[in-house]
Amino acid sequence: MTGEKMRQRWLRYRRRFGSRRTIVSDLKAGIVLGIESVPDGLASGLLAGVNPVMGLNAYIVGTFAGALATGSVFMSVQATGAMAVIIADVPEVHGDDGMGAMAMLTVMAGIAMLLLGIARLGSLVRFIPTAVLIGFVNAVAVNIVLSQLENFTGFDSDADARLLRVVDIVANVLQISWWSVLVGTVTIGLILVLERTPLGALSMVVAIVIGSVLAVVLPDGAVSTISDVAEAGRSLPSISLPDLSMFFVLIVPALSLALVGLVQGAAISGSIPNPDGRYPDASADFRGQGIANIATGMLQGIPVGGSMSATALSRAAGARSAAGNLIAAVVMVLSVLVFGPLIGYIAMPALAGLLILIGVRTVKPRQIVMVFQTGAVQIAVFLVTFALTLLIPLQYAVLAGVGLAVVLQIARQSNRVRVRRWVFDQANGRPIEQDPPPTLEPGETIVLTPYGSLFFASAPSFRQQLPDAEHNSPGAVVIIRLRGTDELGVTFLTMIRTYAQELAAVGATLMVAGVGPRVQAQLASTGVRDVVREENIFVEQPRLGDALQNALAEVSRRRLDPG
């Protein structure tokens, strides 16, 4: 390796992981994020309906791998609430035999992210309408709250759906554990009070510790703890092999998890610049999150993605490089090694209280109000996404939301195409835009310019705006400008052929101007050129307007010399 290459590599390393000037700030941020992530990771595992330690494993491995692999210097890759709720709806990963399925699910989600990143498809998330995302995120927030009511109240419902479990809890309110409610309520109250003190983000750690101590002094067995559902100790994540037999069963949830993780990560890529002032490449972040998931899946963790809350916490605590996330991962490891046996004493209602508070704060009333002020279509999209996310398993709700986004995009684009008539000012030769006439008049020349996307769904709207050939119109000419159109679909080409035949039947002519090479080849291969006739097709010229002027000159020549 040459000296110049070594210098460039060292500079990239310095830009990503800082230097002696930044280590103190990164150390402070790493300690804060690492300590806060321990109860947060356990809560994520609880929210996912699996061993809470698996959530903590995901935080450790995801944070460490993400710090090394993402394009974003500051992105913290951890399990998120939305992803955890999706996992809770995947039955294959629960129970005694769920470890291999969980590993397979996480690795599959990571491979999907990695492949999208390698294909440089980081811009894909831009095509999901905001109304879909707002509906999904706010419904997930409600799901987080509903999913923790059992742990919060100590009542074990037999109902399958979250909404039915809520009904069951209300119907059996006299059977809930008021000791559990007390611990959860105290935890929430302490977080709200202590976060206004210098403790800041560490208030949740202190609150959960106090809530768990309260559970210990209550009557024996009155409040459930992590030790009741999982074994905790001074152990680090170990190898977990994916269950390959689960591949086809887990395709839908894996793709859903990949999509949700990437959308959440893209919000970080587009809002938090790297230390050099440039915004990170979303595709590079896709690749980094994919690598983090593959590592997490192999080390007994749950799926992870870019966490806006953890990233914001790290930045607020003073992080100046990716070293902050590396230090956070080390702090989590040390916490497990030193305090591992004590994790089993953490009260489940205390973690449930933390998650309920997170869920409530995730609801964004301003965003909902904005959607309802936008229009009927956006309101409908929001309500459908919100309802689906509450009523059906989230992995299907995610894909349904994407499908709805695709349909919405097609509908919007097809309705946006506008056709305007150009009438040239005799004084300066510049065009004046007007509405196209409804019908053709004999000897009339009409120049039409379309605006919008010319694809199959827009063809009917385009045709409705063209003047009709309702009566004999000898000598009439319609010129359609196609400059800037790279490709036409079969539906659109068929419409042009039919319109040319309709005009020819009444003695009129269709011309197309500004035709690019690709469209020219399509007209020839589909036979449309033979119907329109080659002398009525004017290819795109380097100078704007030359093709149209050539078409108009040809119209004048024919009228002067009809033969």
Side-chain angles (χ1 to χ4, degrees):
M1 181 180 295
T2 65
E4 179 60 24
K5 287 184 177 180
M6 292 183 64
R7 191 179 72 86
Q8 292 296 328
R9 177 171 292 186
W10 172 249
L11 287 176
R12 287 196 298 270
Y13 173 86
R14 286 281 300 272
R15 283 195 295 267
R16 183 167 188 83
F17 297 105
S19 62
R20 284 178 295 180
R21 291 180 296 178
T22 63
I23 188 60
V24 174
S25 297
D26 287 330
L27 184 63
K28 175 186 174 182
I31 292 174
V32 171
L33 179 61
I35 294 175
E36 184 273 340
S37 292
V38 173
D40 207 13
L42 295 169
S44 291
L46 178 65
L47 181 59
V50 298
N51 185 338
V53 176
M54 294 180 69
L56 181 55
N57 291 344
Y59 269 54
I60 293 172
V61 180
T63 303
F64 186 83
L68 298 175
T70 58
S72 172
V73 170
F74 298 113
M75 178 184 288
S76 296
V77 180
Q78 299 181 346
T80 68
M83 299 178 78
V85 174
I86 292 176
I87 299 166
D89 283 339
V90 182
E92 290 78 13
V93 302
H94 303 294
D96 297 334
D97 301 325
M99 187 68 74
M102 178 65 79
M104 188 65 185
L105 176 64
T106 309
V107 170
M108 286 174 63
I111 292 174
M113 293 177 176
L114 181 60
L115 292 177
L116 288 173
I118 292 174
R120 302 199 62 80
L121 295 177
S123 60
L124 277 180
V125 295
R126 295 188 292 112
F127 294 96
I128 301 178
T130 303
V132 171
L133 294 178
I134 292 175
F136 177 75
V137 169
N138 284 278
V140 165
V142 175
N143 273 326
I144 290 174
V145 174
L146 298 182
S147 67
Q148 293 308 303
L149 292 180
E150 288 181 87
N151 291 317
F152 189 81
T153 61
F155 179 81
D156 188 12
S157 173
D158 295 328
D160 294 328
R162 292 188 186 88
L163 291 177
L164 294 179
R165 288 199 290 269
V166 174
V167 174
D168 197 17
I169 292 172
V170 173
N172 296 276
V173 66
L174 296 179
Q175 299 181 37
I176 67 175
S177 169
W178 293 106
W179 292 125
S180 295
V181 174
L182 173 64
V183 171
T185 303
V186 168
T187 302
I188 293 175
L190 286 172
I191 293 174
L192 294 175
V193 172
L194 295 177
E195 67 184 2
R196 301 177 183 274
T197 69
L199 283 173
L202 295 179
S203 60
M204 68 173 60
V205 180
V206 176
I208 288 175
V209 170
I210 294 176
S212 298
V213 170
L214 175 61
V216 170
V217 301
L218 291 175
D220 188 34
V223 178
S224 61
T225 62
I226 286 181
S227 61
D228 295 328
V229 297
E231 183 178 349
R234 294 187 177 92
S235 60
L236 296 178
S238 57
I239 295 293
S240 177
L241 296 179
D243 184 351
L244 299 180
S245 67
M246 290 287 180
F247 176 80
F248 292 103
V249 178
L250 298 175
I251 287 179
V252 171
L255 292 177
S256 300
L257 285 163
L259 179 63
V260 170
L262 294 179
V263 168
Q264 293 180 317
I268 300 173
S269 305
S271 61
I272 300 179
N274 284 336
D276 60 3
R278 298 179 181 178
Y279 285 93
D281 179 13
S283 295
D285 284 339
F286 280 19
R287 296 192 293 272
Q289 291 174 84
I291 293 170
N293 269 284
I294 294 172
T296 301
M298 299 296 292
L299 291 170
Q300 296 185 339
I302 64 177
V304 293
S307 172
M308 178 60 81
S309 59
T311 305
L313 173 61
S314 176
R315 293 285 289 137
R320 296 177 62 185
S321 75
N325 283 319
L326 291 178
I327 294 170
V330 173
V331 170
M332 283 184 267
V333 169
L334 293 176
S335 299
V336 171
L337 294 177
V338 175
F339 303 106
L342 297 179
I343 290 176
Y345 291 98
I346 295 179
M348 300 283 275
L351 289 178
L354 167 63
L355 287 169
I356 289 173
L357 184 59
I358 290 174
V360 171
R361 287 177 168 177
T362 303
V363 175
K364 305 297 182 184
R366 282 189 176 182
Q367 293 180 347
I368 298 174
V369 170
M370 182 180 67
V371 170
F372 276 82
Q373 292 174 339
T374 304
V377 174
Q378 300 298 314
I379 294 173
V381 170
F382 167 81
L383 292 176
V384 169
T385 306
F386 187 88
L388 287 176
T389 306
L390 286 179
L391 297 175
I392 66 176
L394 255 72
Q395 63 264 31
Y396 302 114
V398 171
L399 296 184
V402 173
L404 181 63
V406 172
V407 173
L408 175 65
Q409 182 70 13
I410 292 175
R412 292 176 64 190
Q413 290 298 323
S414 63
N415 291 328
R416 280 182 174 178
V417 66
R418 291 189 309 126
V419 179
R420 303 291 289 166
R421 180 182 183 181
W422 279 12
V423 177
F424 289 89
D425 191 328
Q426 297 298 325
N428 54 34
R430 290 186 295 180
I432 300 171
E433 287 193 342
Q434 299 176 355
D435 291 329
T439 58
L440 284 175
E441 298 296 333
E444 186 177 27
T445 300
I446 299 177
V447 177
L448 300 176
T449 298
Y451 295 98
S453 179
L454 304 184
F455 69 119
F456 70 93
S458 64
S461 177
F462 186 93
R463 177 61 186 88
Q464 289 175 1
Q465 299 176 66
L466 298 179
D468 292 326
E470 294 182 346
H471 51 75
N472 193 33
S473 303
V477 178
V478 176
I479 305 174
I480 300 178
R481 295 182 67 251
L482 293 179
R483 185 180 182 91
T485 301
D486 295 326
E487 189 174 34
L488 295 175
V490 174
T491 304
F492 211 93
L493 289 165
T494 302
M495 184 272 294
I496 289 179
R497 173 164 42 196
T498 303
Y499 188 59
Q501 292 170 338
E502 292 175 359
L503 294 183
V506 297
T509 302
L510 174 66
M511 292 182 173
V512 287
V515 177
R518 174 61 179 156
V519 174
Q520 189 177 9
Q522 288 183 311
L523 294 174
S525 62
T526 57
V528 176
R529 182 183 64 181
D530 297 332
V531 177
V532 178
R533 298 176 61 180
E534 188 168 1
E535 61 268 25
N536 294 326
I537 299 174
F538 298 86
V539 298
E540 183 180 83
Q541 301 296 321
R543 186 166 60 185
L544 185 66
D546 278 0
L548 176 58
Q549 291 303 318
N550 291 340
L552 291 171
E554 178 63 17
V555 172
S556 299
R557 187 194 66 76
R558 292 180 187 178
R559 286 176 178 164
L560 291 174
D561 184 12

